[in-house]
Amino acid sequence: MSAIVRSTGPGIVAAELPSQPRGDLDCDVCIIGDGVPGLWIALVLALRGRAVVLLDTKAPEEGRHEAVVGAGLDLTATDLCERADRDRARALYDLSVGAARSAIRLLEVLGLEQTGEGQLLVPGPAGLSDLLDEAAARDVLGLSELSRVGETDLGDLLGTDAYAGALFDSHAWRFDVRSLGRLLGDAVAAAGVRRFVNAPVQGVDLDGVRKYIQLAGGRVRADHAVFSATRGLGRVAPWLARAIYPATFVTGTFDTGGVRLTEPGSSGLAVRETGARPARFLLDGSRITVTAPTATYQGREVAAACALRRQVGALYPGLARATVGAAFGWRAACAPAGLPVIGSYRPGVWYALALGQDPLANVSLAADLIGDAIVERDDRITLFGGPPLPSTWGVLGAGMRWSTYWAGRIADRSERRRARFADRQEVSMVEFSSA
């Protein structure tokens, strides 16, 4: 998928797909997209009767093996309340609930295997105060209360005493998505989408009723243009390129040395930290797959493994020198506001970017909203706002984010030590005792 891909690895696109159109093409919708988001949006529009041309600006690459689908825009309720007022935050959450259901239906139709159910929300460096804030935010939004998990049960589940409590969300599902790109490619072909891979856009004219997308071998004329790719945006859509920046992450798998962290025969468990620099875990038997943020892109496997060991060592000291399997670095488009960048630039011009670390529910949401806006003139997409889009400040912004990341990491260490002591005081233990 465009938001979560390995920098290296075998492509997943069939060799017979054309790389460039020959001459000019006419269509209802032209999608400038990468991987899963472009394919998903193209499929939704084609199934709703629109003639679609999909331009993959680069060949999709091998993605992560598993993904979590759930409501909330890939944000906690606390984060959502910080980014929008109550009414808008609740409306966005309700949209995300429907999008998660749509995503699950499509994944099941495609025959993808569900590998787990439920997600634990564990506190970040600030400790249990984060979980209390999360419970309060859910109450403000009128959402159902999450189950509380005490320290003893949590330690048995996770194999670490780093966390003094957790919240459990049963409405999150894990899927094996290794074949998602290929299956979506087959589906869009069956739906009649004209797809061209590794077809970089050289220029666009978006001012008139008809949109013109210029390629090396011709051009595409369309009533609507949809941007869901980050590659080459600075050349053809600078107004959109300025609104996002590449956040960097590392992912890899640790073996716990035979210590089982989930029950035999269980389907595993997803774990997510709170805080500004949260880590995410996927537990399956005696294996832990960890995804953690980094300050810079780690393109080499050794560098990615070292970055993972440094971060995981604070939670699992025994893994500080462990071997990391299949470690890789990747980038995800993000936006300063933290919400997905979904909307309309002008009549007939749409965009869907910065869809999160686990983006499938947000990809489904973007496809549904853009499809509804084009086919039914539904205006719910305006809940995400619109132009003028905020700027990420280019090189200056990148430097500020780098320094903020490292200052935060240093502060996190002392904050985590303080929180571990405070969380074990009697009041906190009573509030987060097991049900």
Side-chain angles (χ1 to χ4, degrees), residues 15-301:
E16 64 269 14
L17 285 174
S19 61
Q20 292 285 343
R22 297 178 180 178
D24 294 349
L25 297 176
D26 289 289
C27 63
D28 296 325
V29 185
C30 180
I31 299 171
I32 300 98
D34 288 339
V36 166
L39 289 165
W40 200 302
I41 296 170
L43 179 61
V44 167
L45 286 166
L47 292 177
R48 300 182 73 168
R50 294 305 183 264
V52 179
V53 169
L54 171 61
L55 305 174
D56 280 325
T57 61
K58 63 178 180 180
E61 297 170 325
E62 182 184 356
R64 290 196 303 180
H65 288 182
E66 291 187 285
V68 178
V69 179
L73 302 178
D74 202 34
L75 299 169
T76 65
T78 305
D79 293 335
L80 193 54
C81 285
E82 290 174 352
R83 288 158 173 76
D85 61 60
R86 181 193 179 281
D87 290 342
R88 182 184 174 212
R90 179 57 197 258
L92 289 171
Y93 186 90
D94 289 342
L95 284 177
S96 75
V97 172
R101 292 172 181 161
S102 295
I104 291 169
R105 283 196 298 270
L106 179 55
L107 295 176
E108 290 175 342
V109 167
L110 293 175
L112 294 176
E113 178 187 1
Q114 182 179 328
T115 58
E117 185 172 339
Q119 180 169 247
L120 278 172
L121 185 66
V122 297
L128 286 179
S129 61
D130 278 356
L131 299 189
L132 295 172
D133 289 343
E134 178 69 10
R138 293 185 66 87
D139 185 57
V140 167
L141 295 178
L143 306 178
S144 59
E145 185 177 357
L146 299 180
S147 302
R148 297 183 177 186
V149 181
E151 182 179 13
T152 300
D153 293 337
L154 189 61
D156 293 339
L157 283 171
L158 303 185
T160 177
D161 62 355
Y163 306 111
L167 297 173
F168 179 72
D169 182 3
S170 61
H171 300 292
W173 295 266
R174 282 170 57 184
F175 283 87
D176 183 332
V177 294
R178 283 174 287 189
S179 59
L180 177 57
R182 175 180 58 79
L183 294 172
L184 279 175
D186 294 342
V188 299
V193 173
R194 288 173 286 178
R195 181 186 178 197
F196 302 90
V197 301
N198 198 19
V201 177
Q202 297 186 345
V204 296
D205 180 359
L206 307 175
D207 292 331
V209 175
R210 294 283 280 176
K211 319 303 176 190
Y212 295 88
I213 296 89
Q214 185 67 48
L215 304 170
R219 63 178 181 174
V220 179
R221 296 184 293 257
D223 295 328
H224 299 270
V226 180
F227 291 92
S228 64
T230 57
R231 187 180 177 90
L233 273 184
R235 181 175 64 255
V236 298
W239 49 272
L240 187 53
R242 289 192 295 266
I244 59 174
Y245 64 91
T248 54
F249 303 87
V250 287
T251 294
T253 300
F254 293 83
D255 193 306
T256 61
V259 178
R260 287 197 68 88
L261 303 181
T262 54
E263 294 295 329
S266 69
S267 57
L269 186 66
V271 183
R272 174 179 178 176
E273 280 190 338
T274 60
R277 288 156 293 279
R280 303 190 187 202
F281 308 86
L282 294 176
L283 279 61
D284 188 4
S286 58
R287 296 167 62 86
I288 307 176
T289 300
V290 182
T291 296
T294 57
T296 55
Y297 174 63
Q298 306 296 325
R300 299 175 58 191
E301 184 174 4

Side-chain angles (χ1 to χ4, degrees), residues 246-249 293-298 311 398 401-403 405-406 409:
T248 54
F249 303 87
T294 57
T296 55
Y297 174 63
Q298 306 296 325
Q311 298 210 35
R401 288 188 293 273
W402 183 88
S403 59
Y405 173 88
W406 281 112
R409 281 288 304 276

